[in-house]
Amino acid sequence: MALLVRLLPLALALALGPAATLAGPAKSPYQLVLQHSRLRGRQHGPNVCAVQKLIGTNKKYFTNCKQWYQRKICGKSTVISYECCPGYEKVPGEKGCPAALPLSNLYETLGVVGSTTTQLYTDRTEKLRPEMEGPGSFTIFAPSNEAWASLPAEVLDSLVSNVNIELLNALRYHMVNRRVLTDELKHGMALTSMYQNSDIQIHHYPNGIVTVNCARLLKADHHATNGVVHLIDKVISTVTNNIQQIIEIEDTFETLRAAVAASGLNTLLEGDGQFTLLAPTNEAFEKIPAETLNRILGDPEALRDLLNNHILKSAMCAEAIVAGMSVETLEGTTLEVGCSGDMLTINGKAIISNKDILATNGVIHYIDELLIPDSAKTLFELAAESDVSTAVDLFRQAGLGTHLSGNERVTLLAPLNSVFKDGTPNIDARTKNLLLNHLIKEQLASKYLYHGQTLNTLGGKKLRVFVYRNSLCIENSCIAAHDKRGRYGTLFTMDRMLTPPMGTVMDVLKGDNRFSMLVAAIQSAGLTEMLNREGVYTVFAPTNEAFQAMPPGELNKLLGNAKELANILKYHIGDEILVSGGIGSLVRLKSLQGDKLEVSSKNNVVNVNKEPVAEADIMATNGVVYAISSVLQPPAIRPQERGDELADSALEIFKQASAYSRAARTSVKLAPVYQRLLERMKH
């Protein structure tokens, strides 16, 4: 029986599983940060927490791992101090904070946690102190002394001049008629206050910060005999209007109000949910060129994308931001929200002029600059923010600007500015046609491109897509940056000017005087038809100088042997299309002769079999041509390999001879065969 009693807890633990026995209940982000602060403070004694204090302020934060090592909050330096963790106190003569705070009622606990002003104002009301000292179970979000002191004088005067109505109601709004600890404070929840059952909005962020109507929880979970006290950094007030109603009543949102009405988003902004609206002021709209603004306001889809780019999927109070973080908008874009001291930043810019305007369905921050998403921009506007302005200027000079600013579905292949470091081409008919071949007739996304795909250009050419291990190329030009998808057009940033194919490989070689000897050799070897038909070839084409550099006797011998010439030429032809942008450090390309070519690229110089290429990426409809300055020789069979082949042949002959020697003794007809095998063995 005793053994059964000892084994029963183990059996229960195994039945409940490892989550119950090892992990325990999951800790909230606040509790995890508090736990980290305990770990950092433990060398100073039990129940000591490390706290980061912003230099020059009274702001303190429990520290997480990242902040501990960076020693910064919102980019500002901090100092580490050590103090008793919530719920504990020092004992004279002993290390750390070994003693738990004595439990007392809510009223007395207010003084213990540093909210003596709340205690004082509770005294001034006739009803609240007896309630806080009496039986029951309450939660109070108690403003710190600094929070009361920071209230505007007129607000504080209105409260203290009518203590049994205004002040009492304000204090009751900070209270909940039950005990609520931090592990119950979930992100986006609402608690019912003791003032007219008005909601208090709770947000519990992944970085451990908890806000109450956007006031930050400073010290949490101070237990009392009749409830719990949480210290907060602001005096909170009731919230009655939704986001849409705030937009309706604020004069600074006149343009925003009209835009929301035109887009139909008013239903969303007055409905249930918890959103953050980065609300552009009238001034923000005025900063945009009138032509751009009118275009967006007159385009329902672009307008909706614009506004959705100002709405975050969850409520984000300013106090929750202590370092940079990425947040997603309803448009699907990502904004970088950060802080610099007391200023909030969006994508690195301090454009928030008024923050934490609470609504029943979220929070509003005023911004003084529009956040126009790519999806609402023309190709001209996309290019203005990219490193392709030179190419776009060429389109404008060539009179092709309407393709980049209208409602035509196109994809622009725009070379980087660095491509034109040696100058830009003159604008003539040839250049204009070349630019048209940088415009694809549909709006593409690079993630859907596939190897061998053909794309039709406005210039009438068909361009091929090549997918390599580390690059995605269209003809000789490879994509150098992420797509930018605009309202009608998509911008592909390319690493060079495109050269559309102008004919087959044979057409290319015949049209270039450098390759006249190669053309004659190809014709002699009977390879002309192959290089004229459809296919995928990479041709390393020796120039005339390459042939002339060969010893005359060797050259004549080669040109006089069609079979050997064909073998050598096939070694110069790869069995796939490999443009220079797809080479990487080293590619072993199989030749039509059977051996492999070693193609490498370093510092924009292409080498084949360690020989530099004179010119790369001469595009043909059935391949690509590289001009080279030497005739490549297939690797010779090494002596060891030759010896292995001879040994294998000798072994086979020996086996045959052994078999025939036995048969030759009984057959006169087989004797001559046996003699011939013996002769082969001698050789």
Side-chain angles (χ1 to χ4, degrees), residues 259-492:
V260 168
S263 69
L265 282 174
N266 48 332
T267 303
L268 173 76
L269 297 179
E270 64 190 10
D272 294 335
Q274 283 292 304
F275 304 106
T276 300
L277 175 63
L278 303 172
T281 61
N282 295 336
E283 179 187 353
F285 283 98
E286 290 166 2
K287 291 179 180 179
I288 301 301
E291 181 182 356
T292 300
L293 183 59
N294 291 335
R295 176 183 61 78
I296 294 175
L297 293 177
D299 181 343
E301 186 173 332
L303 178 58
R304 192 174 185 87
D305 288 350
L306 171 69
L307 295 177
N308 278 338
N309 201 49
H310 291 75
I311 304 172
L312 308 184
K313 290 184 173 181
S314 62
M316 180 68 68
C317 296
E319 285 294 340
I321 302 166
V322 294
M325 63 174 69
S326 298
V327 295
E328 190 175 359
T329 69
L330 289 187
E331 167 59 13
T333 58
T334 299
L335 300 178
E336 295 298 323
V337 180
C339 52
S340 178
D342 291 332
M343 296 185 298
L344 288 187
T345 60
I346 305 292
N347 294 340
K349 297 180 179 179
I351 59 174
I352 294 180
S353 55
N354 195 3
K355 56 192 178 185
D356 288 347
I357 310 303
L358 276 172
T360 56
N361 57 349
V363 61
I364 298 175
H365 304 296
Y366 293 30
I367 62 172
D368 293 333
E369 189 172 304
L370 272 183
L371 306 171
I372 304 178
D374 287 349
S375 59
K377 294 176 182 176
T378 66
L379 280 169
F380 267 138
E381 291 161 352
L382 291 175
E385 302 166 357
S386 306
D387 191 21
V388 294
S389 57
T390 305
V392 172
D393 283 342
L394 286 175
F395 275 90
R396 188 181 284 110
Q397 293 169 29
L400 302 175
T402 54
H403 295 295
L404 308 186
S405 59
N407 56 6
E408 188 178 7
R409 295 283 181 186
V410 293
T411 299
L412 172 63
L413 310 179
L416 289 162
N417 289 338
S418 57
V419 173
F420 304 101
K421 63 181 182 297
D422 295 326
T424 57
N426 294 324
I427 302 299
D428 53 23
R430 182 177 175 277
T431 302
K432 185 174 181 178
N433 189 61
L434 178 61
L435 292 174
L436 285 171
N437 285 320
H438 283 73
L439 283 167
I440 309 298
K441 282 185 176 180
E442 57 185 310
Q443 189 173 14
L444 301 171
S446 63
K447 62 183 177 182
Y448 296 118
L449 297 180
Y450 57 88
H451 192 75
Q453 183 179 4
T454 57
L455 310 173
N456 295 310
T457 73
L458 293 185
K461 292 290 184 181
K462 288 185 180 294
L463 306 179
R464 295 157 298 180
V465 176
F466 305 119
V467 179
Y468 302 104
R469 183 175 297 277
N470 295 311
S471 54
L472 176 60
C473 306
I474 299 173
E475 293 298 334
N476 62 304
S477 185
C478 301
I479 296 176
H482 291 296
D483 310 1
K484 284 183 172 290
R485 187 177 179 87
R487 176 67 178 93
Y488 293 103
T490 297
L491 175 68
F492 285 179

Side-chain angles (χ1 to χ4, degrees), residues 485-546:
R485 187 177 179 87
R487 176 67 178 93
Y488 293 103
T490 297
L491 175 68
F492 285 179
T493 301
M494 311 302 289
D495 66 355
R496 66 197 68 196
M497 283 289 282
L498 196 81
T499 53
M502 302 304 290
T504 67
V505 167
M506 280 307 297
D507 293 333
V508 169
L509 296 176
K510 287 180 178 178
D512 192 327
N513 291 331
R514 292 178 298 172
F515 304 122
S516 58
M517 292 183 70
L518 175 61
V519 169
I522 290 171
Q523 292 169 340
S524 298
L527 300 180
T528 304
E529 183 182 349
M530 180 186 75
L531 295 179
N532 262 327
R533 63 173 179 247
E534 287 187 10
V536 285
Y537 306 114
T538 296
V539 179
F540 294 96
T543 61
N544 295 342
E545 288 77 7

Side-chain angles (χ1 to χ4, degrees), residues 141 143 169-170 172-176 185-193 195 197-205 209-217 232-241 274 315-320 355-365:
F141 296 101
N169 290 341
R172 281 188 175 278
Y173 182 63
H174 288 74
M175 297 179 68
V176 177
L185 298 177
K186 307 298 183 185
H187 191 71
M189 74 180 296
L191 294 175
T192 302
S193 76
Y195 169 67
N197 292 330
S198 299
D199 283 345
I200 302 173
Q201 293 180 17
I202 304 296
H203 293 97
H204 196 150
Y205 298 94
I209 288 177
V210 180
T211 61
V212 182
N213 281 17
C214 284
R216 181 167 64 93
L217 217 63
I232 59 177
D233 71 345
K234 293 184 182 71
V235 178
I236 62 175
S237 56
T238 56
V239 180
T240 56
N241 291 328
Q274 283 292 304
M316 180 68 68
C317 296
E319 285 294 340
K355 56 192 178 185
D356 288 347
I357 310 303
L358 276 172
T360 56
N361 57 349
V363 61
I364 298 175
H365 304 296

Side-chain angles (χ1 to χ4, degrees), residues 110-314:
L110 289 174
V112 172
V113 302
S115 187
T116 53
T117 305
T118 306
Q119 201 177 38
L120 172 66
Y121 289 147
T122 300
D123 268 336
R124 292 194 180 184
T125 66
E126 295 178 359
K127 301 178 181 179
L128 200 53
R129 178 170 178 175
E131 199 168 352
M132 286 191 179
E133 292 179 328
S137 182
F138 307 102
T139 296
I140 180 166
F141 296 101
S144 65
N145 294 340
E146 291 82 1
W148 286 106
S150 65
L151 276 180
E154 62 273 15
V155 174
L156 193 57
D157 288 344
S158 68
L159 292 175
V160 298
S161 64
N162 194 347
V163 293
N164 288 316
I165 297 178
E166 297 294 338
L167 184 58
L168 177 63
N169 290 341
L171 291 171
R172 281 188 175 278
Y173 182 63
H174 288 74
M175 297 179 68
V176 177
N177 197 16
R178 64 183 180 90
R179 187 190 305 265
V180 184
L181 300 175
T182 50
D183 59 358
E184 191 182 340
L185 298 177
K186 307 298 183 185
H187 191 71
M189 74 180 296
L191 294 175
T192 302
S193 76
M194 291 174 59
Y195 169 67
Q196 296 183 352
N197 292 330
S198 299
D199 283 345
I200 302 173
Q201 293 180 17
I202 304 296
H203 293 97
H204 196 150
Y205 298 94
N207 60 7
I209 288 177
V210 180
T211 61
V212 182
N213 281 17
C214 284
R216 181 167 64 93
L217 217 63
L218 301 176
K219 294 181 179 179
D221 296 339
H222 285 276
H223 291 270
T225 55
N226 56 347
V228 63
V229 176
H230 304 291
L231 190 69
I232 59 177
D233 71 345
K234 293 184 182 71
V235 178
I236 62 175
S237 56
T238 56
V239 180
T240 56
N241 291 328
N242 59 47
I243 293 175
Q244 179 62 30
Q245 289 170 328
I246 294 174
I247 293 173
E248 293 288 345
I249 60 179
E250 289 292 332
D251 291 339
T252 192
F253 295 142
E254 182 180 356
T255 309
L256 175 62
R257 186 159 57 242
V260 168
S263 69
L265 282 174
N266 48 332
T267 303
L268 173 76
L269 297 179
E270 64 190 10
D272 294 335
Q274 283 292 304
F275 304 106
T276 300
L277 175 63
L278 303 172
T281 61
N282 295 336
E283 179 187 353
F285 283 98
E286 290 166 2
K287 291 179 180 179
I288 301 301
E291 181 182 356
T292 300
L293 183 59
N294 291 335
R295 176 183 61 78
I296 294 175
L297 293 177
D299 181 343
E301 186 173 332
L303 178 58
R304 192 174 185 87
D305 288 350
L306 171 69
L307 295 177
N308 278 338
N309 201 49
H310 291 75
I311 304 172
L312 308 184
K313 290 184 173 181
S314 62

Side-chain angles (χ1 to χ4, degrees), residues 63-75:
T63 180
N64 61 31
C65 190
K66 183 177 180 180
Q67 291 165 357
W68 173 264
Y69 286 109
Q70 290 184 341
R71 292 292 202 272
K72 290 181 182 295
I73 301 288
C74 285

